[in-house]
Amino acid sequence: MAKEGVEKAEETEQMIEKEAGKEPAEGGGGDGSHRLGDAQEMRAVVLAGFGGLNKLRLSRKAMPEPQDGELKIRVKACGLNFIDLMVRQGNIDNPPKTPVVPGFECSGIVEALGDSVKGYEIGDRVMAFVNYNAWAEVVCTPVEFVYKIPDDMSFSEAAAFPMNFVTAYVMLFEVANLREGMSVLVHSAGGGVGQAVAQLCSTVPNVTVFGTASTFKHEAIKDSVTHLFDRNADYVQEVKRISAEGVDIVLDCLCGDNTGKGLSLLKPLGTYILYGSSNMVTGETKSFFSFAKSWWQVEKVNPIKLYEENKVIAGFSLLNLLFKQGRAGLIRAVVEKLIGLYNQKKIKPVVDSLWALEEVKEAMQRIHDRGNIGKLILDVEKTPTPLMANDSTETSEAGEEEEDHEGDSENKERMPFIQ
């Protein structure tokens, strides 16, 4: 049962409409929901099956209601991450049953409270982790995964905050024990996690950051990284030319042959952390060849060699830590520290671009092309550009629709709102 007071509900609805820049609509529906009889519906991005971009559809689904210990959130913005692309391809362990609404993080306004929820009120501005279902107008998630956001943090910044900064913080400070004077190598330095790593490193004196990124990103991120290399260059030699001993910490989201390279660059007592495997993603759909190649290129780790060389190898999965291993308390403490750094103006999420729900295919293609600098955001209230509106269709919950005709999207320019 949800503890919704009539006055509070009306106040929240007006707040939501005010945030959207709209006047309250008569008879409800002004909050983006649609009524069919007594049932309320919402828009959501649905993954109909694993595969290419054509498996994603904007659909109408029944609006969820909070269960005991959950909050109902009127979503304003959602984060897009590389893991979402891998989920779409079915390129992860234990993939979800389809159809499913993707997405693991969002921001918005608390609209209802389930029983036993304390510490939150209707109307609170929040960001949250969600175990799928984030790419929708409304989500329900347990209270332990929800965090209040500062008054001066926008909803797009809040949606860009949890996955990237919590991942970066835990790896640097909880796993690798970053301290003054250390050095860090981070791959994909222009991405959301890469930029979060660079900002957090700047909060510790005399930390040297080595980064790899596509050449076209270098100008935009050069001030956040001490030494920047092209992602296709021989970065091992470049790092050793600058620091003969190597580095203290390697943060690897690529996997494949970069595992062996990363271990070879570690100083004694250095830590290598694997937190992704984007090298497995080459084409639009899952590739067994790419998977096999990446697996084959991973250097087989010899524990005796680690012992002899005084090196540490670790892995980190934020989603598993939250949803499978029950470490919500640890993550809440990390979020509180990060919000403190945000309030001190020491860190700030980098938002690459804003996309409407109807533009999710184009947004995901930008991630696949490694074209983003910082985080891509799905803005629930954004109106799609005309070129994309013609290519987006609302479908049934199962997302069933004819396959895209070859050439339909030719000559269509992606036109996100770049901040």
Side-chain angles (χ1 to χ4, degrees):
M1 291 287 293
K3 302 183 295 186
E4 293 181 278
V6 175
E7 293 181 359
K8 276 287 188 180
E10 291 176 351
E11 179 183 340
T12 304
E13 186 169 345
Q14 291 172 3
M15 181 185 300
I16 294 166
E17 289 161 346
K18 182 178 179 181
E19 290 280 348
K22 297 180 286 188
E23 292 297 323
E26 294 183 6
D31 55 5
S33 62
H34 300 263
R35 293 181 183 274
L36 286 180
D38 293 329
Q40 280 192 299
E41 290 193 330
M42 65 177 183
R43 294 183 306 149
V45 175
V46 172
L47 178 66
F50 301 121
L53 293 169
N54 64 314
K55 298 298 183 180
L56 292 165
R57 293 287 184 265
L58 183 62
S59 306
R60 296 203 183 280
K61 289 177 61 70
M63 187 180 297
E65 294 299 330
Q67 304 300 307
D68 185 27
E70 291 186 340
L71 288 89
K72 178 180 179 181
I73 301 171
R74 175 66 59 173
V75 177
K76 311 296 274 185
C78 322
L80 276 80
N81 300 283
F82 204 87
I83 186 66
D84 297 313
L85 189 154
M86 298 184 74
V87 168
R88 192 201 77 216
Q89 294 186 346
N91 210 353
I92 61 171
D93 287 334
N94 301 313
K97 182 180 179 181
T98 58
V100 65
V101 176
F104 298 102
E105 62 184 339
C106 64
S107 63
I109 299 171
V110 175
E111 192 170 79
L113 308 175
D115 289 340
S116 77
V117 171
K118 297 180 180 179
Y120 292 87
E121 295 181 355
I122 294 173
D124 282 345
R125 301 171 74 248
V126 297
M127 58 187 173
F129 289 108
V130 188
N131 194 8
Y132 296 104
N133 296 308
W135 295 355
E137 291 179 317
V138 174
V139 302
C140 291
T141 193
V143 65
E144 57 262 36
F145 303 141
V146 182
Y147 319 93
K148 294 179 182 178
I149 62 177
D151 292 339
D152 60 345
M153 180 182 282
S154 69
F155 285 116
S156 59
E157 285 182 331
F161 197 85
M163 286 281 285
N164 291 349
F165 275 95
V166 172
T167 295
Y169 188 98
V170 174
M171 290 193 300
L172 288 172
F173 297 105
E174 299 291 337
V175 180
N177 194 22
L178 177 66
R179 300 183 303 281
E180 181 177 354
M182 281 187 163
S183 54
V184 179
L185 168 64
V186 58
H187 291 295
S188 300
V193 173
Q195 285 296 285
V197 166
Q199 290 186 32
L200 288 171
C201 285
S202 71
T203 67
V204 180
N206 303 317
V207 171
T208 301
V209 180
F210 297 87
T212 68
S214 301
T215 305
F216 76 90
K217 298 184 180 182
H218 286 197
E219 183 64 27
I221 67 174
K222 63 181 182 180
D223 294 335
S224 63
V225 179
T226 315
H227 303 286
L228 195 54
F229 313 119
D230 180 74
R231 67 190 301 266
N232 297 313
D234 183 0
Y235 62 84
V236 173
Q237 294 304 315
E238 292 293 329
V239 170
K240 288 188 173 181
R241 181 177 59 81
I242 298 168
S243 175
E245 273 196 294
V247 297
D248 296 292
I249 301 169
V250 174
L251 304 179
D252 182 11
C253 60
L254 304 177
C255 199
D257 61 353
N258 292 282
T259 300
K261 292 178 180 179
L263 287 171
S264 73
L265 280 173
L266 283 183
K267 295 179 181 180
L269 302 182
T271 303
Y272 164 93
I273 305 174
L274 181 69
Y275 70 101
S277 53
S278 63
N279 275 351
M280 293 185 184
V281 177
T282 51
E284 185 177 329
T285 57
K286 182 177 180 179
S287 168
F288 176 78
F289 174 77
S290 297
F291 175 85
K293 179 182 177 182
S294 184
W295 178 86
W296 180 258
Q297 288 177 333
V298 173
E299 181 169 307
K300 306 307 179 282
V301 177
N302 183 343
I304 299 299
K305 187 176 181 181
L306 291 176
Y307 152 73
E308 291 173 345
E309 296 181 353
N310 285 300
K311 294 181 179 181
V312 178
I313 185 169
F316 180 69
S317 166
L318 174 57
L319 296 178
N320 284 346
L321 196 68
L322 271 174
F323 301 128
K324 294 182 179 180
Q325 297 166 341
R327 295 298 190 271
L330 167 65
I331 299 307
R332 181 167 295 279
V334 169
V335 171
E336 290 172 356
K337 293 175 183 177
L338 288 168
I339 289 177
L341 292 172
Y342 177 88
N343 288 333
Q344 297 170 37
K345 312 298 182 186
K346 292 184 177 180
I347 62 173
K348 184 180 178 65
V350 177
V351 176
D352 173 79
S353 49
L354 306 180
W355 304 77
L357 292 179
E358 293 87 348
E359 300 166 337
V360 63
K361 296 178 186 178
E362 290 79 6
M364 192 163 277
Q365 184 64 51
R366 184 171 174 84
I367 293 180
H368 184 278
D369 295 341
R370 278 74 166 179
N372 56 300
I373 298 174
K375 190 67 161 258
L376 279 79
I377 298 295
L378 288 179
D379 184 337
V380 174
E381 295 171 346
K382 182 180 180 294
T383 302
T385 60
L387 283 175
M388 297 174 196
N390 294 333
D391 193 43
S392 62
T393 306
E394 293 187 355
T395 69
S396 65
E397 181 173 333
E400 296 175 354
E401 187 181 328
E402 292 182 2
E403 298 289 315
D404 293 341
H405 294 291
E406 186 175 352
D408 275 356
S409 58
E410 288 183 3
N411 301 320
K412 286 188 177 180
E413 181 182 1
R414 294 198 299 272
M415 298 172 61
F417 175 73
I418 307 293
Q419 288 203 326

